[in-house]
Every structure is written in structure tokens, then in C-alpha cells.
Amino acid sequence: MDPIDLGHTLARINAGLNFASFTCLVVGFLFVKRRQLHQHRGAMTAALCASGLFLVSYVTRVVLTGTHVFAGTGAARVLYLGALFSHMVLAVVLVPLVLRLLWLLRRHRFSGHARLARWTYPVWLYVSITGIVVYVLLYHVYGYV
């Protein structure tokens, strides 16, 4: 498999990891609302693992194939760039938020964890969803080759 094919495969894997993270986040939210805290922890751990694997896979893909130029124009390009830039900025913001949530858990500061999670959760959901949107627009709708 040449680097370009591997890059395309990694892009598909990345979209799958974003979807897995999104799904685990939703399931984790449902568990915490039902006060099923052990199950919540498992779902959120899975979301964290999927996001961590995404990061490793994404960096690998960029190293192998570089960045890609979006083929769309006009409103489609504005939509794509808006989704991409908001995704990138919020992904960077998300890292310290998630690390802080983990720190609060380690210190058994559950009320602080819950307060911060109210802000972190929608950001993490948005980053997961926009990652999928960016992938679909770049690789499928506008057929990057």
C-alpha cells in the first residue's frame, strides 16, 4: 500500500473514530443522567480512547500525505472552512478541558467535574461531529482524490 492509499485509509479510520467518540459521549451522557456512574465511566473512557487514537492516526495521516485542498467553491467552501476551522480551534481547546476533567476525577472532586463537564461535553460532541462532516465533505461530497 502506497502512502496515499494509506492516508485515505487512515482518513476513513479517523472518521470512524470520531463517530465512535460521538456515540460513546452520547451513551455516557445517558448513563450519568440515569446515575449509572460505573457505566458512565466506561463510556467516557471509551470516548477518550477513541479520541486519543484519532489524534495519533490523524498526525500519522498528515505526516504521510500532508494537508488537502478542498475542491468545492462558493457556499460549500465557506461551509467546509467554517466547519474545519471551528473543529480545529475547539479540538485544541478541548484537550486541556478533558485533562482537567480527568484531574478532577483523580482528586475525587466530583462536583467540580460535573460543572466543567457541562461545558466540555457539548464542545467534545461538536468536535466529533464536525470531524465527520469535514471528512465527508473532503473525501466524498467533493471527491478528493
Side-chain angles (χ1 to χ4, degrees), residues 11-50:
R12 282 191 298 278
I13 290 169
N14 291 343
L17 289 168
N18 271 321
F19 182 75
S21 179
F22 172 81
T23 302
C24 291
L25 288 168
V26 171
V27 169
F29 178 79
L30 294 173
F31 281 140
V32 81
K33 285 298 178 189
R34 294 179 184 145
R35 306 297 299 161
Q36 296 174 301
L37 300 181
H38 182 72
Q39 293 87 342
H40 168 73
R41 181 179 180 178
M44 299 313 287
T45 299
L48 182 63
C49 289

PDB file of all heavy atoms in Angstrom, residues 11-50:
ATOM      1  N   ALA A  11      -7.809   8.244   6.879  1.00  0.00           N
ATOM      2  CA  ALA A  11      -8.897   9.239   6.927  1.00  0.00           C
ATOM      3  C   ALA A  11     -10.227   8.553   7.243  1.00  0.00           C
ATOM      4  O   ALA A  11     -11.027   9.076   8.036  1.00  0.00           O
ATOM      5  CB  ALA A  11      -8.975  10.000   5.611  1.00  0.00           C
ATOM      6  N   ARG A  12     -10.474   7.383   6.634  1.00  0.00           N
ATOM      7  CA  ARG A  12     -11.704   6.630   6.930  1.00  0.00           C
ATOM      8  C   ARG A  12     -11.710   6.167   8.382  1.00  0.00           C
ATOM      9  O   ARG A  12     -12.739   6.233   9.062  1.00  0.00           O
ATOM     10  CB  ARG A  12     -11.840   5.433   5.992  1.00  0.00           C
ATOM     11  CG  ARG A  12     -12.339   5.790   4.612  1.00  0.00           C
ATOM     12  CD  ARG A  12     -12.721   4.552   3.799  1.00  0.00           C
ATOM     13  NE  ARG A  12     -11.598   3.658   3.561  1.00  0.00           N
ATOM     14  CZ  ARG A  12     -10.680   3.805   2.594  1.00  0.00           C
ATOM     15  NH1 ARG A  12     -10.772   4.822   1.775  1.00  0.00           N
ATOM     16  NH2 ARG A  12      -9.714   2.941   2.443  1.00  0.00           N
ATOM     17  N   ILE A  13     -10.556   5.685   8.840  1.00  0.00           N
ATOM     18  CA  ILE A  13     -10.452   5.255  10.233  1.00  0.00           C
ATOM     19  C   ILE A  13     -10.714   6.432  11.167  1.00  0.00           C
ATOM     20  O   ILE A  13     -11.430   6.302  12.169  1.00  0.00           O
ATOM     21  CB  ILE A  13      -9.074   4.618  10.495  1.00  0.00           C
ATOM     22  CG1 ILE A  13      -8.977   3.274   9.771  1.00  0.00           C
ATOM     23  CG2 ILE A  13      -8.803   4.466  11.991  1.00  0.00           C
ATOM     24  CD1 ILE A  13      -7.577   2.686   9.730  1.00  0.00           C
ATOM     25  N   ASN A  14     -10.161   7.596  10.837  1.00  0.00           N
ATOM     26  CA  ASN A  14     -10.370   8.789  11.661  1.00  0.00           C
ATOM     27  C   ASN A  14     -11.844   9.147  11.758  1.00  0.00           C
ATOM     28  O   ASN A  14     -12.334   9.512  12.832  1.00  0.00           O
ATOM     29  CB  ASN A  14      -9.572   9.961  11.113  1.00  0.00           C
ATOM     30  CG  ASN A  14      -8.088   9.772  11.292  1.00  0.00           C
ATOM     31  OD1 ASN A  14      -7.649   8.944  12.072  1.00  0.00           O
ATOM     32  ND2 ASN A  14      -7.314  10.532  10.549  1.00  0.00           N
ATOM     33  N   ALA A  15     -12.552   9.079  10.644  1.00  0.00           N
ATOM     34  CA  ALA A  15     -13.986   9.365  10.679  1.00  0.00           C
ATOM     35  C   ALA A  15     -14.703   8.352  11.567  1.00  0.00           C
ATOM     36  O   ALA A  15     -15.593   8.711  12.343  1.00  0.00           O
ATOM     37  CB  ALA A  15     -14.563   9.349   9.260  1.00  0.00           C
ATOM     38  N   GLY A  16     -14.299   7.106  11.477  1.00  0.00           N
ATOM     39  CA  GLY A  16     -14.876   6.077  12.339  1.00  0.00           C
ATOM     40  C   GLY A  16     -14.589   6.325  13.809  1.00  0.00           C
ATOM     41  O   GLY A  16     -15.460   6.123  14.666  1.00  0.00           O
ATOM     42  N   LEU A  17     -13.375   6.762  14.101  1.00  0.00           N
ATOM     43  CA  LEU A  17     -13.024   7.076  15.490  1.00  0.00           C
ATOM     44  C   LEU A  17     -13.811   8.282  16.007  1.00  0.00           C
ATOM     45  O   LEU A  17     -14.233   8.299  17.163  1.00  0.00           O
ATOM     46  CB  LEU A  17     -11.521   7.313  15.617  1.00  0.00           C
ATOM     47  CG  LEU A  17     -10.653   6.059  15.460  1.00  0.00           C
ATOM     48  CD1 LEU A  17      -9.190   6.437  15.301  1.00  0.00           C
ATOM     49  CD2 LEU A  17     -10.856   5.108  16.636  1.00  0.00           C
ATOM     50  N   ASN A  18     -14.032   9.277  15.155  1.00  0.00           N
ATOM     51  CA  ASN A  18     -14.877  10.411  15.548  1.00  0.00           C
ATOM     52  C   ASN A  18     -16.299   9.949  15.828  1.00  0.00           C
ATOM     53  O   ASN A  18     -16.935  10.394  16.785  1.00  0.00           O
ATOM     54  CB  ASN A  18     -14.875  11.490  14.462  1.00  0.00           C
ATOM     55  CG  ASN A  18     -13.768  12.493  14.648  1.00  0.00           C
ATOM     56  OD1 ASN A  18     -13.460  12.888  15.759  1.00  0.00           O
ATOM     57  ND2 ASN A  18     -13.165  12.907  13.553  1.00  0.00           N
ATOM     58  N   PHE A  19     -16.799   9.048  14.982  1.00  0.00           N
ATOM     59  CA  PHE A  19     -18.152   8.525  15.199  1.00  0.00           C
ATOM     60  C   PHE A  19     -18.211   7.711  16.491  1.00  0.00           C
ATOM     61  O   PHE A  19     -19.175   7.822  17.259  1.00  0.00           O
ATOM     62  CB  PHE A  19     -18.613   7.685  14.008  1.00  0.00           C
ATOM     63  CG  PHE A  19     -20.008   7.169  14.167  1.00  0.00           C
ATOM     64  CD1 PHE A  19     -21.091   8.015  14.015  1.00  0.00           C
ATOM     65  CD2 PHE A  19     -20.234   5.843  14.494  1.00  0.00           C
ATOM     66  CE1 PHE A  19     -22.390   7.555  14.184  1.00  0.00           C
ATOM     67  CE2 PHE A  19     -21.523   5.370  14.664  1.00  0.00           C
ATOM     68  CZ  PHE A  19     -22.604   6.225  14.505  1.00  0.00           C
ATOM     69  N   ALA A  20     -17.183   6.910  16.731  1.00  0.00           N
ATOM     70  CA  ALA A  20     -17.139   6.115  17.968  1.00  0.00           C
ATOM     71  C   ALA A  20     -17.113   7.036  19.185  1.00  0.00           C
ATOM     72  O   ALA A  20     -17.818   6.794  20.176  1.00  0.00           O
ATOM     73  CB  ALA A  20     -15.926   5.196  17.956  1.00  0.00           C
ATOM     74  N   SER A  21     -16.317   8.081  19.113  1.00  0.00           N
ATOM     75  CA  SER A  21     -16.247   9.038  20.217  1.00  0.00           C
ATOM     76  C   SER A  21     -17.610   9.689  20.442  1.00  0.00           C
ATOM     77  O   SER A  21     -18.087   9.770  21.579  1.00  0.00           O
ATOM     78  CB  SER A  21     -15.186  10.105  19.921  1.00  0.00           C
ATOM     79  OG  SER A  21     -15.125  11.035  20.970  1.00  0.00           O
ATOM     80  N   PHE A  22     -18.239  10.147  19.368  1.00  0.00           N
ATOM     81  CA  PHE A  22     -19.563  10.758  19.462  1.00  0.00           C
ATOM     82  C   PHE A  22     -20.560   9.799  20.122  1.00  0.00           C
ATOM     83  O   PHE A  22     -21.288  10.177  21.047  1.00  0.00           O
ATOM     84  CB  PHE A  22     -20.056  11.156  18.066  1.00  0.00           C
ATOM     85  CG  PHE A  22     -21.480  11.615  18.046  1.00  0.00           C
ATOM     86  CD1 PHE A  22     -21.805  12.904  18.415  1.00  0.00           C
ATOM     87  CD2 PHE A  22     -22.499  10.757  17.663  1.00  0.00           C
ATOM     88  CE1 PHE A  22     -23.129  13.334  18.414  1.00  0.00           C
ATOM     89  CE2 PHE A  22     -23.812  11.183  17.652  1.00  0.00           C
ATOM     90  CZ  PHE A  22     -24.137  12.471  18.023  1.00  0.00           C
ATOM     91  N   THR A  23     -20.569   8.559  19.661  1.00  0.00           N
ATOM     92  CA  THR A  23     -21.506   7.563  20.190  1.00  0.00           C
ATOM     93  C   THR A  23     -21.253   7.313  21.677  1.00  0.00           C
ATOM     94  O   THR A  23     -22.197   7.281  22.480  1.00  0.00           O
ATOM     95  CB  THR A  23     -21.376   6.251  19.397  1.00  0.00           C
ATOM     96  OG1 THR A  23     -21.634   6.523  18.013  1.00  0.00           O
ATOM     97  CG2 THR A  23     -22.349   5.196  19.891  1.00  0.00           C
ATOM     98  N   CYS A  24     -19.995   7.154  22.045  1.00  0.00           N
ATOM     99  CA  CYS A  24     -19.657   6.925  23.457  1.00  0.00           C
ATOM    100  C   CYS A  24     -20.030   8.126  24.317  1.00  0.00           C
ATOM    101  O   CYS A  24     -20.469   7.959  25.461  1.00  0.00           O
ATOM    102  CB  CYS A  24     -18.169   6.604  23.594  1.00  0.00           C
ATOM    103  SG  CYS A  24     -17.719   5.008  22.894  1.00  0.00           S
ATOM    104  N   LEU A  25     -19.856   9.327  23.784  1.00  0.00           N
ATOM    105  CA  LEU A  25     -20.237  10.532  24.529  1.00  0.00           C
ATOM    106  C   LEU A  25     -21.736  10.564  24.806  1.00  0.00           C
ATOM    107  O   LEU A  25     -22.164  10.868  25.927  1.00  0.00           O
ATOM    108  CB  LEU A  25     -19.831  11.786  23.762  1.00  0.00           C
ATOM    109  CG  LEU A  25     -18.338  12.085  23.711  1.00  0.00           C
ATOM    110  CD1 LEU A  25     -18.056  13.168  22.677  1.00  0.00           C
ATOM    111  CD2 LEU A  25     -17.824  12.490  25.074  1.00  0.00           C
ATOM    112  N   VAL A  26     -22.525  10.244  23.799  1.00  0.00           N
ATOM    113  CA  VAL A  26     -23.985  10.245  23.974  1.00  0.00           C
ATOM    114  C   VAL A  26     -24.394   9.176  24.983  1.00  0.00           C
ATOM    115  O   VAL A  26     -25.202   9.425  25.889  1.00  0.00           O
ATOM    116  CB  VAL A  26     -24.699  10.056  22.619  1.00  0.00           C
ATOM    117  CG1 VAL A  26     -26.189   9.834  22.813  1.00  0.00           C
ATOM    118  CG2 VAL A  26     -24.449  11.265  21.721  1.00  0.00           C
ATOM    119  N   VAL A  27     -23.829   7.982  24.834  1.00  0.00           N
ATOM    120  CA  VAL A  27     -24.143   6.893  25.760  1.00  0.00           C
ATOM    121  C   VAL A  27     -23.694   7.260  27.179  1.00  0.00           C
ATOM    122  O   VAL A  27     -24.432   7.043  28.147  1.00  0.00           O
ATOM    123  CB  VAL A  27     -23.495   5.571  25.280  1.00  0.00           C
ATOM    124  CG1 VAL A  27     -23.575   4.494  26.337  1.00  0.00           C
ATOM    125  CG2 VAL A  27     -24.153   5.106  23.986  1.00  0.00           C
ATOM    126  N   GLY A  28     -22.506   7.844  27.303  1.00  0.00           N
ATOM    127  CA  GLY A  28     -22.020   8.264  28.613  1.00  0.00           C
ATOM    128  C   GLY A  28     -22.922   9.301  29.250  1.00  0.00           C
ATOM    129  O   GLY A  28     -23.166   9.272  30.467  1.00  0.00           O
ATOM    130  N   PHE A  29     -23.432  10.224  28.446  1.00  0.00           N
ATOM    131  CA  PHE A  29     -24.365  11.234  28.948  1.00  0.00           C
ATOM    132  C   PHE A  29     -25.639  10.573  29.476  1.00  0.00           C
ATOM    133  O   PHE A  29     -26.137  10.921  30.548  1.00  0.00           O
ATOM    134  CB  PHE A  29     -24.703  12.217  27.825  1.00  0.00           C
ATOM    135  CG  PHE A  29     -25.694  13.263  28.219  1.00  0.00           C
ATOM    136  CD1 PHE A  29     -25.296  14.369  28.955  1.00  0.00           C
ATOM    137  CD2 PHE A  29     -27.029  13.156  27.855  1.00  0.00           C
ATOM    138  CE1 PHE A  29     -26.216  15.351  29.326  1.00  0.00           C
ATOM    139  CE2 PHE A  29     -27.951  14.123  28.217  1.00  0.00           C
ATOM    140  CZ  PHE A  29     -27.541  15.223  28.955  1.00  0.00           C
ATOM    141  N   LEU A  30     -26.163   9.609  28.710  1.00  0.00           N
ATOM    142  CA  LEU A  30     -27.376   8.910  29.154  1.00  0.00           C
ATOM    143  C   LEU A  30     -27.129   8.160  30.464  1.00  0.00           C
ATOM    144  O   LEU A  30     -27.979   8.166  31.361  1.00  0.00           O
ATOM    145  CB  LEU A  30     -27.863   7.959  28.065  1.00  0.00           C
ATOM    146  CG  LEU A  30     -28.343   8.624  26.774  1.00  0.00           C
ATOM    147  CD1 LEU A  30     -28.651   7.585  25.709  1.00  0.00           C
ATOM    148  CD2 LEU A  30     -29.534   9.525  27.029  1.00  0.00           C
ATOM    149  N   PHE A  31     -25.965   7.536  30.575  1.00  0.00           N
ATOM    150  CA  PHE A  31     -25.642   6.818  31.814  1.00  0.00           C
ATOM    151  C   PHE A  31     -25.562   7.761  33.011  1.00  0.00           C
ATOM    152  O   PHE A  31     -26.077   7.457  34.080  1.00  0.00           O
ATOM    153  CB  PHE A  31     -24.323   6.055  31.674  1.00  0.00           C
ATOM    154  CG  PHE A  31     -24.437   4.753  30.925  1.00  0.00           C
ATOM    155  CD1 PHE A  31     -23.440   4.387  30.036  1.00  0.00           C
ATOM    156  CD2 PHE A  31     -25.510   3.891  31.118  1.00  0.00           C
ATOM    157  CE1 PHE A  31     -23.518   3.184  29.339  1.00  0.00           C
ATOM    158  CE2 PHE A  31     -25.600   2.683  30.436  1.00  0.00           C
ATOM    159  CZ  PHE A  31     -24.598   2.332  29.547  1.00  0.00           C
ATOM    160  N   VAL A  32     -24.905   8.905  32.854  1.00  0.00           N
ATOM    161  CA  VAL A  32     -24.776   9.803  34.001  1.00  0.00           C
ATOM    162  C   VAL A  32     -26.134  10.387  34.382  1.00  0.00           C
ATOM    163  O   VAL A  32     -26.410  10.597  35.572  1.00  0.00           O
ATOM    164  CB  VAL A  32     -23.707  10.894  33.755  1.00  0.00           C
ATOM    165  CG1 VAL A  32     -24.236  12.043  32.924  1.00  0.00           C
ATOM    166  CG2 VAL A  32     -23.150  11.403  35.073  1.00  0.00           C
ATOM    167  N   LYS A  33     -26.995  10.624  33.413  1.00  0.00           N
ATOM    168  CA  LYS A  33     -28.337  11.131  33.724  1.00  0.00           C
ATOM    169  C   LYS A  33     -29.142  10.098  34.508  1.00  0.00           C
ATOM    170  O   LYS A  33     -30.008  10.453  35.307  1.00  0.00           O
ATOM    171  CB  LYS A  33     -29.087  11.523  32.440  1.00  0.00           C
ATOM    172  CG  LYS A  33     -28.582  12.817  31.850  1.00  0.00           C
ATOM    173  CD  LYS A  33     -28.789  13.946  32.816  1.00  0.00           C
ATOM    174  CE  LYS A  33     -28.256  15.244  32.309  1.00  0.00           C
ATOM    175  NZ  LYS A  33     -28.264  16.291  33.322  1.00  0.00           N
ATOM    176  N   ARG A  34     -28.862   8.822  34.264  1.00  0.00           N
ATOM    177  CA  ARG A  34     -29.546   7.736  34.991  1.00  0.00           C
ATOM    178  C   ARG A  34     -28.805   7.360  36.274  1.00  0.00           C
ATOM    179  O   ARG A  34     -29.178   6.383  36.921  1.00  0.00           O
ATOM    180  CB  ARG A  34     -29.668   6.513  34.084  1.00  0.00           C
ATOM    181  CG  ARG A  34     -30.559   6.744  32.902  1.00  0.00           C
ATOM    182  CD  ARG A  34     -30.631   5.509  32.033  1.00  0.00           C
ATOM    183  NE  ARG A  34     -31.410   5.770  30.857  1.00  0.00           N
ATOM    184  CZ  ARG A  34     -31.179   5.257  29.669  1.00  0.00           C
ATOM    185  NH1 ARG A  34     -30.166   4.423  29.489  1.00  0.00           N
ATOM    186  NH2 ARG A  34     -31.939   5.548  28.647  1.00  0.00           N
ATOM    187  N   ARG A  35     -27.741   8.107  36.577  1.00  0.00           N
ATOM    188  CA  ARG A  35     -26.916   7.857  37.763  1.00  0.00           C
ATOM    189  C   ARG A  35     -26.245   6.486  37.722  1.00  0.00           C
ATOM    190  O   ARG A  35     -25.929   5.913  38.758  1.00  0.00           O
ATOM    191  CB  ARG A  35     -27.718   8.020  39.059  1.00  0.00           C
ATOM    192  CG  ARG A  35     -28.431   9.354  39.204  1.00  0.00           C
ATOM    193  CD  ARG A  35     -27.537  10.547  39.256  1.00  0.00           C
ATOM    194  NE  ARG A  35     -26.617  10.491  40.407  1.00  0.00           N
ATOM    195  CZ  ARG A  35     -25.505  11.201  40.495  1.00  0.00           C
ATOM    196  NH1 ARG A  35     -25.159  12.016  39.537  1.00  0.00           N
ATOM    197  NH2 ARG A  35     -24.745  11.102  41.546  1.00  0.00           N
ATOM    198  N   GLN A  36     -26.005   5.965  36.536  1.00  0.00           N
ATOM    199  CA  GLN A  36     -25.261   4.716  36.357  1.00  0.00           C
ATOM    200  C   GLN A  36     -23.794   5.099  36.150  1.00  0.00           C
ATOM    201  O   GLN A  36     -23.278   5.092  35.038  1.00  0.00           O
ATOM    202  CB  GLN A  36     -25.825   3.931  35.165  1.00  0.00           C
ATOM    203  CG  GLN A  36     -27.262   3.485  35.381  1.00  0.00           C
ATOM    204  CD  GLN A  36     -27.846   2.853  34.136  1.00  0.00           C
ATOM    205  OE1 GLN A  36     -27.908   3.486  33.094  1.00  0.00           O
ATOM    206  NE2 GLN A  36     -28.279   1.606  34.272  1.00  0.00           N
ATOM    207  N   LEU A  37     -23.144   5.429  37.254  1.00  0.00           N
ATOM    208  CA  LEU A  37     -21.831   6.064  37.188  1.00  0.00           C
ATOM    209  C   LEU A  37     -20.725   5.112  36.717  1.00  0.00           C
ATOM    210  O   LEU A  37     -19.791   5.540  36.036  1.00  0.00           O
ATOM    211  CB  LEU A  37     -21.489   6.695  38.535  1.00  0.00           C
ATOM    212  CG  LEU A  37     -22.473   7.772  38.997  1.00  0.00           C
ATOM    213  CD1 LEU A  37     -22.039   8.366  40.321  1.00  0.00           C
ATOM    214  CD2 LEU A  37     -22.652   8.849  37.945  1.00  0.00           C
ATOM    215  N   HIS A  38     -20.822   3.844  37.060  1.00  0.00           N
ATOM    216  CA  HIS A  38     -19.820   2.884  36.579  1.00  0.00           C
ATOM    217  C   HIS A  38     -19.892   2.761  35.052  1.00  0.00           C
ATOM    218  O   HIS A  38     -18.864   2.782  34.365  1.00  0.00           O
ATOM    219  CB  HIS A  38     -20.017   1.521  37.252  1.00  0.00           C
ATOM    220  CG  HIS A  38     -19.009   0.512  36.853  1.00  0.00           C
ATOM    221  ND1 HIS A  38     -17.695   0.568  37.288  1.00  0.00           N
ATOM    222  CD2 HIS A  38     -19.101  -0.566  36.044  1.00  0.00           C
ATOM    223  CE1 HIS A  38     -17.026  -0.439  36.762  1.00  0.00           C
ATOM    224  NE2 HIS A  38     -17.854  -1.144  36.010  1.00  0.00           N
ATOM    225  N   GLN A  39     -21.095   2.667  34.516  1.00  0.00           N
ATOM    226  CA  GLN A  39     -21.273   2.590  33.067  1.00  0.00           C
ATOM    227  C   GLN A  39     -20.865   3.907  32.402  1.00  0.00           C
ATOM    228  O   GLN A  39     -20.292   3.894  31.306  1.00  0.00           O
ATOM    229  CB  GLN A  39     -22.721   2.234  32.710  1.00  0.00           C
ATOM    230  CG  GLN A  39     -23.127   0.845  33.120  1.00  0.00           C
ATOM    231  CD  GLN A  39     -23.656   0.771  34.549  1.00  0.00           C
ATOM    232  OE1 GLN A  39     -23.439   1.652  35.385  1.00  0.00           O
ATOM    233  NE2 GLN A  39     -24.354  -0.318  34.859  1.00  0.00           N
ATOM    234  N   HIS A  40     -21.155   5.027  33.063  1.00  0.00           N
ATOM    235  CA  HIS A  40     -20.747   6.332  32.549  1.00  0.00           C
ATOM    236  C   HIS A  40     -19.224   6.384  32.413  1.00  0.00           C
ATOM    237  O   HIS A  40     -18.704   6.814  31.376  1.00  0.00           O
ATOM    238  CB  HIS A  40     -21.223   7.438  33.500  1.00  0.00           C
ATOM    239  CG  HIS A  40     -20.617   8.780  33.232  1.00  0.00           C
ATOM    240  ND1 HIS A  40     -20.977   9.548  32.142  1.00  0.00           N
ATOM    241  CD2 HIS A  40     -19.664   9.480  33.898  1.00  0.00           C
ATOM    242  CE1 HIS A  40     -20.263  10.672  32.157  1.00  0.00           C
ATOM    243  NE2 HIS A  40     -19.462  10.649  33.212  1.00  0.00           N
ATOM    244  N   ARG A  41     -18.543   5.934  33.429  1.00  0.00           N
ATOM    245  CA  ARG A  41     -17.072   5.928  33.392  1.00  0.00           C
ATOM    246  C   ARG A  41     -16.563   5.081  32.228  1.00  0.00           C
ATOM    247  O   ARG A  41     -15.627   5.488  31.527  1.00  0.00           O
ATOM    248  CB  ARG A  41     -16.529   5.410  34.714  1.00  0.00           C
ATOM    249  CG  ARG A  41     -15.025   5.396  34.766  1.00  0.00           C
ATOM    250  CD  ARG A  41     -14.530   4.891  36.093  1.00  0.00           C
ATOM    251  NE  ARG A  41     -13.084   4.897  36.115  1.00  0.00           N
ATOM    252  CZ  ARG A  41     -12.366   4.548  37.143  1.00  0.00           C
ATOM    253  NH1 ARG A  41     -12.950   4.162  38.264  1.00  0.00           N
ATOM    254  NH2 ARG A  41     -11.056   4.576  37.082  1.00  0.00           N
ATOM    255  N   GLY A  42     -17.155   3.936  32.009  1.00  0.00           N
ATOM    256  CA  GLY A  42     -16.740   3.075  30.903  1.00  0.00           C
ATOM    257  C   GLY A  42     -16.959   3.729  29.552  1.00  0.00           C
ATOM    258  O   GLY A  42     -16.083   3.689  28.673  1.00  0.00           O
ATOM    259  N   ALA A  43     -18.113   4.355  29.372  1.00  0.00           N
ATOM    260  CA  ALA A  43     -18.414   5.009  28.094  1.00  0.00           C
ATOM    261  C   ALA A  43     -17.489   6.197  27.857  1.00  0.00           C
ATOM    262  O   ALA A  43     -16.999   6.401  26.737  1.00  0.00           O
ATOM    263  CB  ALA A  43     -19.879   5.462  28.075  1.00  0.00           C
ATOM    264  N   MET A  44     -17.226   6.961  28.905  1.00  0.00           N
ATOM    265  CA  MET A  44     -16.358   8.127  28.743  1.00  0.00           C
ATOM    266  C   MET A  44     -14.900   7.706  28.536  1.00  0.00           C
ATOM    267  O   MET A  44     -14.161   8.368  27.792  1.00  0.00           O
ATOM    268  CB  MET A  44     -16.505   9.058  29.947  1.00  0.00           C
ATOM    269  CG  MET A  44     -17.919   9.601  30.116  1.00  0.00           C
ATOM    270  SD  MET A  44     -18.678  10.236  28.603  1.00  0.00           S
ATOM    271  CE  MET A  44     -17.763  11.738  28.419  1.00  0.00           C
ATOM    272  N   THR A  45     -14.491   6.612  29.155  1.00  0.00           N
ATOM    273  CA  THR A  45     -13.148   6.080  28.912  1.00  0.00           C
ATOM    274  C   THR A  45     -13.018   5.648  27.459  1.00  0.00           C
ATOM    275  O   THR A  45     -11.999   5.902  26.809  1.00  0.00           O
ATOM    276  CB  THR A  45     -12.846   4.908  29.870  1.00  0.00           C
ATOM    277  OG1 THR A  45     -12.908   5.382  31.218  1.00  0.00           O
ATOM    278  CG2 THR A  45     -11.477   4.301  29.600  1.00  0.00           C
ATOM    279  N   ALA A  46     -14.058   5.012  26.942  1.00  0.00           N
ATOM    280  CA  ALA A  46     -14.052   4.607  25.530  1.00  0.00           C
ATOM    281  C   ALA A  46     -14.002   5.827  24.614  1.00  0.00           C
ATOM    282  O   ALA A  46     -13.287   5.825  23.599  1.00  0.00           O
ATOM    283  CB  ALA A  46     -15.280   3.742  25.221  1.00  0.00           C
ATOM    284  N   ALA A  47     -14.744   6.887  24.952  1.00  0.00           N
ATOM    285  CA  ALA A  47     -14.711   8.121  24.157  1.00  0.00           C
ATOM    286  C   ALA A  47     -13.315   8.730  24.175  1.00  0.00           C
ATOM    287  O   ALA A  47     -12.808   9.180  23.140  1.00  0.00           O
ATOM    288  CB  ALA A  47     -15.738   9.129  24.685  1.00  0.00           C
ATOM    289  N   LEU A  48     -12.685   8.730  25.342  1.00  0.00           N
ATOM    290  CA  LEU A  48     -11.331   9.256  25.470  1.00  0.00           C
ATOM    291  C   LEU A  48     -10.341   8.430  24.651  1.00  0.00           C
ATOM    292  O   LEU A  48      -9.481   8.990  23.958  1.00  0.00           O
ATOM    293  CB  LEU A  48     -10.923   9.283  26.945  1.00  0.00           C
ATOM    294  CG  LEU A  48      -9.556   9.855  27.263  1.00  0.00           C
ATOM    295  CD1 LEU A  48      -9.476  11.326  26.862  1.00  0.00           C
ATOM    296  CD2 LEU A  48      -9.258   9.692  28.747  1.00  0.00           C
ATOM    297  N   CYS A  49     -10.472   7.124  24.693  1.00  0.00           N
ATOM    298  CA  CYS A  49      -9.587   6.255  23.907  1.00  0.00           C
ATOM    299  C   CYS A  49      -9.788   6.477  22.405  1.00  0.00           C
ATOM    300  O   CYS A  49      -8.810   6.556  21.657  1.00  0.00           O
ATOM    301  CB  CYS A  49      -9.829   4.785  24.264  1.00  0.00           C
ATOM    302  SG  CYS A  49      -9.235   4.343  25.910  1.00  0.00           S
ATOM    303  N   ALA A  50     -11.034   6.563  21.969  1.00  0.00           N
ATOM    304  CA  ALA A  50     -11.309   6.805  20.544  1.00  0.00           C
ATOM    305  C   ALA A  50     -10.723   8.141  20.112  1.00  0.00           C
ATOM    306  O   ALA A  50     -10.112   8.241  19.035  1.00  0.00           O
ATOM    307  CB  ALA A  50     -12.820   6.761  20.282  1.00  0.00           C
TER     308      ALA A  50
END
